[in-house]
Each structure stands twice: as C-alpha cells, then as structure tokens.
C-alpha cells in the first residue's frame, strides 16, 4: 500500500521502518524535520504538510502525544483531512481520549474516509521487534483493509469494537501496568526498609505467583537504580489523566488507580517526568 507515517519518535521510527521492510510504499511528515532525517537519507519521501502526505497515501498512520495533537493533525490547517481522497484511512496509534477517537471517526465518515483507533502496548522494544499488542477500534471492513499494515508492526491485533473501543482497552492496559509499577516500587521500598537485598527479593518473587513482565523489567530498573527513560513517566501521567477523567465522567470507581494517580502527580511535581516511571520508587523514598 501507499502509506504515510507521522510521529517518528522512539516507537514511531522503527514502526515506520517495518512498514517499509514489508514492501509498503512509505512517505512521512515530521513537525521537526530532524526527526525524519535518517529516513530521508535512505530515500523515503518527506512531505511538506500532512495534507500533502494524505494526498499521496491510501492510509496514514499517526503516533503522537495527545488528543489535541491528533485533532490538529487531522483537521487543522493543511491537515490530513484536507488531503485524503474518499476511501482513504487514518490509523491513529496514539493514546488519546475515547471521545476524541469517536469524534474523529464521525468527522471522517462524513467525508467518506475511514478511521481506526489502534493504540499499542509493548514500548520501544516491542516497536523495534515488531511485537506490539494492537488494540483496534474500527468498523470491521475498514480494519480489514489496513490489517496488513498492522501485521507489519505488531504480533497481536485484537478488534475491540467500534472507534473509541481501542482507546478504552489501552486505558485498561495503562491502569493495570502502572499500578503494577507502583506495587513493584512499594515492594522494593519495603525490602530496602528492612535492610534486605532487594535484588534477591525480586529474584525470589520472579519464581512465584507475583512474577510478571513489570516485575522483571521495572523491578530490575529499581533494584539497579536505573531511572533513564524507557518510556518517559510524563506519558504515563498523561494516560492516567485520560482514564481518571473518563472515570469521573462515567462515575466508575477506580480506588487503586486513584492512589497511583496521586503518586504520578507527586513524580511530576518532583521534576522526574522525563525519567522512567520506575521513578515511582523515588517518590516513596522522598
């Protein structure tokens, strides 16, 4: 397919490369030209505007930060909507509010354009290894058209439901994952308070029912006091803002998530937003 890509960050660039490796005709647009420099040097076309990118693409994939970013990219001046031909598809792999995903789908549908909200889990490693879990919200026929693109980037693609449903699944993912990071931080903090070897505690737990991918990766970072960002904590803070806002709107009680939300607020206040979310340990220590 002729495919466009926007969002060439830690995850986006390897995802775009997988599309190219799979044989798709790739072009990109970047808000910061330097982020597209490596691909441009390899001969990938760099378009001047999102509209220009959409005009030459059957589908455009975006992975950017926030709801407002996706809205502006799609329907702002010289946005994707201005360039798409009827029948084209916008696949947004960002983590945004479900209401925004539904709004984008409705506005695109009025123009005969498809929309898929397809947030991902797996982080930078999953992006590099093309093993991402992809949670898709879309009309079944629209999803079928772009499934080959998703298969080039991910290992598990699950159709959750209509547009917006993918974002609901991603909110659930983030809630469980970051709450588990907080639990790891508390376990390491307790071990340290007792003067016990936290590395040995983690090793023991990895052989029992507490074992998890979060304990394996984030527990190791905490034990080693490696707070360099895999995923910047500010992004998890942003994701929790979305899910707590939705919980308030729906009247859905999330008592554990609410406590974790306050710890993330404290992390941001301490100035660790660009560090790893393993910094939740430092919040406890401070």
């Amino acid at each position: 397919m002729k495919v466009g890509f926007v969002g060439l960050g830690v995850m986006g660039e390897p995802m775009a490369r997988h599309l190219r490796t799979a044989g798709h005709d790739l072009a990109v647009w970047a808000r910061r030209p330097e982020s597209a420099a490596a691909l441009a040097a390899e001969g990938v076309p760099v378009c001047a505007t999102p509209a220009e990118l959409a005009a030459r693409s059957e589908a455009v994939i975006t992975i950017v930060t926030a709801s407002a970013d996706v809205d502006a990219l799609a329907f702002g001046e010289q946005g994707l909507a201005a360039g798409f031909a009827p029948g084209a598809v916008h696949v947004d792999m960002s983590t945004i509010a479900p209401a925004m995903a539904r709004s984008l789908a409705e506005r695109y549908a009025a123009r005969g354009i498809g929309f898929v909200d397809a947030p991902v889990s797996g982080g930078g490693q999953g992006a590099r290894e093309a093993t991402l879990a992809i949670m898709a919200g879309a009309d079944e026929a629209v999803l079928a058209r772009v499934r080959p693109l998703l298969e080039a980037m991910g290992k598990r693609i699950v159709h959750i439901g209509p547009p917006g449903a993918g974002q609901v699944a991603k909110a659930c993912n983030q809630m469980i994952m970051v709450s588990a990071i907080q639990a790891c931080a508390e376990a390491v903090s307790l071990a340290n308070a007792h003067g016990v070897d936290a590395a040995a505690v983690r090793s023991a737990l990895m052989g029992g029912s507490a074992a998890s991918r979060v304990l394996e990766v984030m527990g190791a970072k905490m034990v080693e006091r490696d707070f360099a960002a895999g995923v910047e904590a500010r992004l998890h803070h942003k994701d929790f803002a979305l899910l707590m806002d939705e919980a308030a709107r729906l009247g859905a009680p999330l008592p554990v998530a609410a406590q974790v939300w306050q710890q993330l607020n404290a992390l941001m206040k301490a100035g660790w937003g660009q560090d790893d979310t393993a910094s939740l340990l430092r919040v406890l220590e401070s």
Side-chain angles (χ1 to χ4, degrees), residues 119-154:
V120 301
S121 180
Q125 181 176 348
R128 292 188 296 274
E129 297 175 357
T131 57
L132 294 169
I134 301 174
M135 297 155 261
D139 176 83
E140 287 188 12
V142 174
L143 179 60
R145 289 170 52 203
V146 298
R147 185 174 283 272
L149 303 178
L150 302 181
E151 289 173 342
M153 299 178 287

Side-chain angles (χ1 to χ4, degrees), residues 152-165:
M153 299 178 287
K155 181 172 68 174
R156 174 175 294 187
I157 302 157
V158 180
H159 184 200
I160 306 296

